[in-house]
Amino acid sequence: MSFFRALFALLFPPLSVLDKGCGSFLIVVLLTLCGWVPGVIAALIIVNNPNS
């Protein structure tokens, strides 16, 4: 995970996982609507996942 990808996940969580698929994007959008911190945590986990 690059520094800029992590920074983008902190600033704009849903947009950072846009290339990972529709499901990941929707999950991060819903978590971000519930609160910024859950959205950021989910985005960082998805971006840092080596299997995708």
Side-chain angles (χ1 to χ4, degrees), residues 1-37:
M1 176 172 62
S2 70
F3 171 75
F4 295 109
R5 187 81 178 205
L7 182 64
F8 197 61
L10 288 171
L11 297 176
F12 307 109
L15 296 179
S16 67
V17 297
L18 194 58
D19 64 335
K20 299 293 184 179
C22 184
S24 298
F25 177 74
L26 290 176
I27 289 171
V28 173
V29 165
L30 290 174
L31 287 171
T32 304
L33 289 175
C34 292
W36 179 75
V37 173

